[in-house]
Amino acid sequence: MAGASIKEVARHAGVSLGTVSNVLNRPDMVSPTTRQRVLDAIAELGYVRNDSARQLRAGQSRTIAIVVLDVANPFFTDMVRGAEQVVEETGAMLIVCNSGEDSARERRHLELLEEQRVRGVLITPVGDGPQPHLEKLIDRGIPVVLVDRGTGRASRCSVAVDDVQGGRLAMDHLLDQGHRRIAYVGGPLSIAQVAERHAGAAAALEDRDTGAELRVAATTSLTVTAGRRAAEELLALPARQRPTAVFCANDLLALGVLQELTARGVRVPADIAIVGYDDIEFAAAAAVPLSSVRQPREQLGRTAAELLLEEAEHGTAHRHRHVVFQPELVVRRSSDQARRSRR
């Protein structure tokens, strides 16, 4: 008799509804004999307790959501893994929502999460402008923590990496290698991380005053396919305008650039050097091991989850914090050698 109700369990065991409730929630209040009779009825009838309804009545859900830009990106996979470790230690569950870099889809996810009254939301937002849908969650008492994104707001916590510094690290490395025609591959620039990595690269170039040029090869997404298309555009440039180095906004773009260059017979790094960003596992395993700006991916997720759970537990007594990690440049073969004289 699968799907039996609590009333049916009480009737079958010959006890009150309150006794069944005590067996489920406060078993120490019920005598061993009666408790076993109720447990036998539950097993026989196939009763499954409705935890979601119970949690809604208590105003406390055990579900936490994380909304990411691209669930197919290994960077977010690692970030989710870090958050999941912390959440599951508390007996709660982490659900993953994919915005697909689409603000409308992101908003629909958040509206549904609000209806479900989740305990809290971890999110890497699509845009960097006003976020009324996030403020609405906060107004409803649902904690929100931004992940891989800083915030100047006092109403929420954030965990991020200094992406401006990451851009500087990549550009300084390429300039030290003697490059003077450099392309930045990334987009859309409405994504804060993409814009900040570009800003850091541009600032490093300006500070060094080497006469180097930075060309932007804008992409509509942060995928391998977008990287291949960007490489096609760069290779179509006249030889004297073609970059000798490429800095990509993430490793997926860099792997796409590497694939296209290799397919066209362009030598990496002898003809064009490449630096990516994130240092995902595939970066070191690429046909030409990829230099990359490393982010502490799992630590981002763990720290964000810890902040969220702390706020969920302490409510208004919680003090919002903004944690910023420092990136690290990992140099591999895709950019590490003095190659040829620059034209």
Side-chain angles (χ1 to χ4, degrees):
M1 188 179 174
S5 69
I6 192 171
K7 290 182 179 179
E8 290 170 318
V9 170
R11 185 165 55 247
H12 192 76
V15 299
S16 68
L17 287 174
T19 298
V20 177
S21 177
N22 283 336
V23 169
L24 294 172
N25 301 298
R26 295 173 294 277
D28 55 304
M29 296 181 63
V30 184
S31 70
T33 302
T34 302
R35 184 166 65 238
Q36 189 58 53
R37 192 161 75 245
V38 172
L39 292 174
D40 289 343
I42 287 173
E44 185 176 342
L45 298 177
Y47 169 76
V48 178
R49 66 189 290 168
N50 188 343
D51 260 0
S52 61
R54 180 178 61 83
Q55 291 160 14
L56 287 179
R57 287 193 297 271
Q60 182 66 74
S61 169
R62 289 193 297 173
T63 301
I64 289 171
I66 182 166
V67 185
V68 300
L69 291 176
D70 180 8
V71 74
N73 187 333
F75 167 80
F76 291 109
T77 303
D78 292 342
M79 192 176 78
V80 167
R81 185 181 297 114
E84 187 176 50
Q85 291 169 355
V86 173
V87 169
E88 290 188 346
E89 286 174 0
T90 70
M93 178 181 69
L94 185 73
I95 60 173
V96 181
C97 302
N98 179 34
S99 69
E101 301 175 17
D102 182 336
S103 58
R105 186 175 180 184
E106 175 187 86
R107 185 172 60 254
R108 289 194 298 273
H109 280 312
L110 293 175
E111 289 171 351
L112 188 58
L113 293 172
E114 181 186 358
E115 290 175 9
Q116 296 297 315
R117 302 184 196 178
V118 294
R119 191 175 185 185
V121 174
L122 305 168
I123 182 171
T124 304
V126 174
D128 197 36
Q131 299 163 327
H133 43 293
L134 295 183
E135 295 298 334
K136 187 178 179 183
L137 289 176
I138 294 169
D139 290 343
R140 289 288 299 270
I142 299 175
V144 172
V145 175
L146 302 193
V147 197
D148 194 33
R149 179 72 57 81
T151 176
R153 297 174 183 267
S155 61
R156 67 189 74 148
C157 290
S158 66
V159 180
V161 171
D162 187 344
D163 282 319
V164 173
Q165 176 61 16
R168 282 183 172 274
L169 291 174
M171 179 58 73
D172 280 337
H173 167 64
L174 292 174
L175 292 174
D176 288 344
Q177 294 291 308
H179 295 283
R180 295 299 177 262
R181 295 197 303 276
I182 302 168
Y184 177 71
V185 173
L189 288 172
S190 58
I191 296 176
Q193 298 95 316
V194 176
E196 289 173 3
R197 292 164 195 177
H198 171 260
L205 188 148
E206 183 175 349
D207 290 347
R208 295 282 290 268
D209 192 26
T210 60
E213 302 173 357
L214 180 62
R215 173 187 295 272
V216 175
T219 62
T220 57
S221 63
L222 299 167
T223 63
V224 172
T225 299
R228 296 196 68 148
R229 290 172 180 163
E232 289 177 357
E233 294 175 9
L234 294 174
L235 291 177
L237 293 170
R240 290 189 172 277
Q241 297 179 27
R242 190 177 302 161
T244 63
V246 176
F247 168 40
C248 297
N250 77 353
D251 284 342
L252 294 184
L253 287 170
L255 290 170
V257 170
L258 176 61
Q259 287 179 8
E260 188 64 25
L261 295 184
T262 302
R264 300 285 195 95
V266 178
R267 298 170 300 167
V268 176
D271 298 322
I272 297 180
I274 306 173
V275 175
Y277 204 107
D278 291 337
D279 196 32
I280 61 176
E281 185 176 352
F282 298 135
V288 179
L290 187 67
S291 296
S292 185
V293 178
R294 175 180 293 167
Q295 300 197 76
R297 304 176 301 279
E298 291 194 18
Q299 192 173 4
L300 281 169
R302 284 196 301 269
T303 304
E306 288 167 356
L307 291 174
L308 186 72
L309 291 168
E310 181 182 303
E311 182 175 357
E313 180 178 354
H314 298 292
T316 56
H318 171 77
R319 181 176 60 86
H320 292 297
R321 285 180 285 158
H322 308 296
V323 180
V324 179
F325 293 102
Q326 291 302 309
E328 173 191 358
L329 178 66
V330 179
V331 177
R332 299 191 180 94
R333 190 152 56 91
S334 71
S335 67
D336 186 26
Q337 64 170 308
R339 292 159 297 277
R340 58 179 174 79
S341 60
R342 311 293 172 203
R343 289 192 295 272

